[in-house]
Amino acid sequence: MSLALTPKGGSERVLPRHVAIIMDGNGRWAKKRLLPRLAGHRMGVEMARKVVEHARDIGLECLTLYAFSSENWRRPADEVSDLMGLLRHFIIKDLDEMIANGIRLAVIGDWRALQGDLVAMIEDAIARSSTNTAMTLAIALNYGAQQELVGAVRALAARAQTGALDPATIDLAMIEGALFTAALPQLDLLIRTSGEQRLSNFLLWQAAYAELVFTDTLWPDFGAAELDSALAAFNARERRFGGR
Ligand code: FPP
């Protein structure tokens, strides 16, 4: 398992390889303006589009966005339906442009349980963008980190049961290889907007050594400048990975 970023020296700026964002606060953004929650989510998607574009422009290798959690199904049915509608619209309208701009799509979570047309569109977008190299955009859909770990344990246990795997040989790399994020770079920076300071079942394993940045800004107000501030905060931190 590779833990090292290029070591920082003097005033050298180091770009994290992998940034993940919990895009929180769409509902409060709408409420402050006496608008329906859907208006906040719409602005949230628009902000996701802008942030992806900026992240690609500055040369980030991988950006992961938490778009829909395993727990989001508990929201009222009309809000879940609105969110799925926005996702459909995002895939049709924004994703094609991103792919044309060199972005490779990855999706983490139990996304194959979504509606059939969404699954088909996502499969197609993953295939069409698989050779793109400008940036990997990983979208977390129907994602829960605890569920991800349950899946990884089950996969390893199934191999152990057939005798293909000796449980004593299970190590960090093997567990990482069984996670949805197996093909993504190690997570360096995790950002959460809207003032909440918790991980909410997002990338729990992967956040082991990630720097955490919490901002009070609501997601629809986030913007390129806020991403740059989070990257500057990352640069100001000294990462020791448990060493001294
Ligand atoms: C949190 O706002 C946001 C979500 C539940 C996820 C929705 C995310 C987007 C609409 C962006 C979608 C991006 C893509 C790539 C399709 P909240 O409703 O929890 O806000 P609140 O805490 O203020 O109520």
Side-chain angles (χ1 to χ4, degrees), residues 108-127:
I108 62 170
D110 192 10
W111 57 277
R112 286 194 172 80
L114 299 178
Q115 286 157 4
D117 68 317
L118 280 171
V119 173
M121 285 193 287
I122 291 168
E123 274 170 349
D124 177 59
I126 291 173

Side-chain angles (χ1 to χ4, degrees), residues 230-242:
L231 296 173
F234 173 83
N235 258 274
R237 309 248 178 112
E238 191 191 340
R239 304 182 81 201
R240 292 194 297 276
F241 299 106

